């Protein structure tokens, strides 16, 4: 969770408010963020914190009606493979 502690306080607050809205713990958010970062790097892309937060929120939302709840990282992989990330930019 070091990444969260290293963000500016306003960004940190945005992340915390978003994370409490879903049934995933901090470790899953951390893993999902790292997974998305890896996928973006493999495609030669990057995204800002707001875009990453928005994308992960969509991923979390997509698993909301599935029981048992799949790992957030697997939702990230599935959605990225299917749709990519439009808000990401080439490096």
């Amino acid at each position: 969770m070091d990444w969260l502690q290293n963000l500016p306080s306003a960004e940190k607050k945005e992340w915390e408010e978003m994370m409490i809205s879903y049934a995933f713990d901090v470790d899953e958010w951390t893993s999902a963020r790292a997974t998305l970062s890896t996928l973006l790097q493999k495609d030669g892309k990057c995204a800002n914190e707001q875009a990453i937060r928005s994308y992960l929120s969509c991923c979390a939302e997509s698993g909301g009606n599935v029981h048992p709840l799949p790992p957030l990282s697997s939702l990230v992989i599935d959605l990225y493979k299917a749709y990519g990330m439009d808000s990401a930019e080439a490096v």
Side-chain angles (χ1 to χ4, degrees):
M1 188 164 95
D2 290 338
W3 63 271
L4 188 59
Q5 300 304 324
N6 293 329
L7 293 174
S9 61
E11 277 293 337
K12 182 180 174 183
K13 183 179 180 193
E14 291 289 330
W15 273 98
E16 289 170 341
E17 288 176 3
M18 190 261 310
M19 289 189 292
I20 63 171
S21 299
Y22 300 98
F24 297 100
D25 64 24
V26 174
D27 291 337
E28 286 193 80
W29 288 104
T30 300
S31 177
R33 188 176 186 277
T35 298
L36 180 58
S37 178
T38 299
L39 292 168
L40 289 170
Q41 286 176 0
K42 285 181 182 178
D43 284 346
K45 296 181 177 182
C46 65
N48 63 32
E49 285 300 319
Q50 181 182 6
I52 292 169
R53 190 172 53 251
S54 177
Y55 193 86
L56 294 181
S57 176
C58 288
C59 292
E61 185 81 23
S62 76
N65 296 327
V66 178
H67 293 10
L69 192 60
L72 185 54
S73 290
S74 69
L75 295 171
V76 170
I77 292 168
D78 291 345
L79 288 176
Y80 192 86
K81 284 182 180 178
Y83 305 106
M85 184 178 178
D86 291 340
S87 60
E89 299 175 356
V91 177

